[in-house]
Amino acid sequence: MITLLWMYPRHLNTYGDGGNLLALRMRCRWRGIDTVLWPVDPGDRLPRRADVVFIGGGQDRSQTVVAPALQQHRDGLEALVDDGAVVLGVCAGYQFLGHRIVQSDGSVLDGLGLLDVVTAAGAERCTGKIVVDPHPALELPATLVGFENHGGRTRLGGDPETRPLGRVVRGHGNGDDEGTEGAFRGDVFGTYLHGPVLPTNPGFCDLLIRRALNARGATTDLEPLPDGVEHDAAAAYRT
């Protein structure tokens, strides 16, 4: 069984990012793997164990609302990661995985520090289709595709264990002038890709499932699924 922890679904669910959890649940279900979805709102207690933690996107006002709650959950989330939980942060969720977010009015929101990145508001928004060549260490079978709509510019720090999720072929990504998109460290992943990213990129979804199972000592051999439609759509997206 895989426990999926959804942080602040009422506040951080921009562009249908909750569809990432639906993709995780369905791709597990089709393989006979049971899942439990555990939503967490500000003020709620965290479970003692979770296999996947998801933090979605949200606009500046929503980020300001949940930032204090996220700090209250900081120790608990760090403990879950130390216990083997896989983490996916999308857009605002990705930014919160870093050290801090400097908003357009100059205010600073503290992050979780699970990735060595910092984010600051840019002068213009990064929008449109995005195509990314994933980092070779991830051994993903295809490029990642999606769309982005964010005002933040995210820069990776000097920690060698925090690496870009990939290199931008088309689009903006982190907007760091180095052509990178997202970041990952161990089993903690952050990205600006919406779509939602996991149903659009089934190989990435399966990577998270395998890592969650591996952390629990379970088999990581996943039965292949008929992903021809998704692959054809991604190929068309890249043109």
Side-chain angles (χ1 to χ4, degrees):
M1 178 179 292
I2 291 181
T3 300
L4 307 173
L5 192 64
W6 188 359
M7 301 300 296
Y8 317 137
R10 293 190 297 111
H11 299 88
L12 300 179
N13 189 19
T14 303
Y15 308 124
D17 283 336
N20 291 307
L21 291 162
L22 179 60
L24 284 164
R25 298 193 77 180
M26 292 307 299
R27 293 184 73 81
C28 284
R29 182 179 184 182
W30 291 331
R31 292 170 167 125
I33 303 170
D34 292 330
T35 60
V36 173
L37 180 60
W38 191 307
V40 175
D41 287 317
D44 289 350
R45 297 180 63 180
L46 296 180
R48 294 183 179 180
R49 171 177 167 176
D51 300 297
V52 179
V53 177
F54 175 68
I55 310 175
Q59 299 184 13
D60 287 356
R61 182 175 182 180
S62 296
Q63 294 179 44
T64 301
V65 169
V66 303
L70 194 64
Q71 289 305 304
Q72 293 178 352
H73 285 135
R74 180 171 185 161
D75 290 345
L77 289 170
E78 288 181 347
L80 291 176
V81 171
D82 290 342
D83 190 43
V86 175
V87 179
L88 174 63
V90 175
C91 206
Y94 166 33
Q95 296 173 0
F96 273 127
L97 293 178
H99 298 297
R100 61 186 177 276
I101 305 168
V102 182
Q103 296 189 300
S104 56
D105 62 1
S107 60
V108 178
L109 303 178
D110 291 330
L112 296 169
L114 296 175
L115 294 173
D116 184 20
V117 304
V118 296
T119 301
E124 299 179 355
R125 295 192 70 80
C126 298
T127 61
K129 293 182 178 180
I130 180 168
V131 179
V132 177
D133 280 337
H135 195 287
L138 299 176
E139 299 182 341
L140 289 173
T143 54
L144 300 172
V145 300
F147 79 90
E148 55 185 340
N149 186 349
H150 58 95
R153 304 296 190 272
T154 299
R155 293 186 178 275
L156 279 67
D159 175 18
E161 294 186 7
T162 297
R163 295 174 284 181
L165 190 67
R167 293 284 172 180
V168 175
V169 176
R170 175 183 181 181
H172 302 276
N174 289 325
D176 58 359
D177 300 325
E178 296 183 5
T180 67
E181 203 296 308
F184 73 101
R185 181 179 186 274
D187 289 337
V188 178
F189 300 86
T191 181
Y192 278 116
L193 271 65
H194 295 288
V197 61
L198 295 187
T200 308
N201 300 278
F204 187 27
C205 188
D206 285 352
L207 180 146
L208 301 184
I209 295 171
R210 284 195 302 271
R211 293 202 175 193
L213 292 171
N214 184 64
R216 302 305 175 198
T219 178
T220 57
D221 293 330
L222 297 179
E223 178 184 353
L225 296 174
D227 296 325
V229 172
E230 290 84 350
H231 293 160
D232 289 346
Y237 204 92
R238 291 191 289 269
T239 60

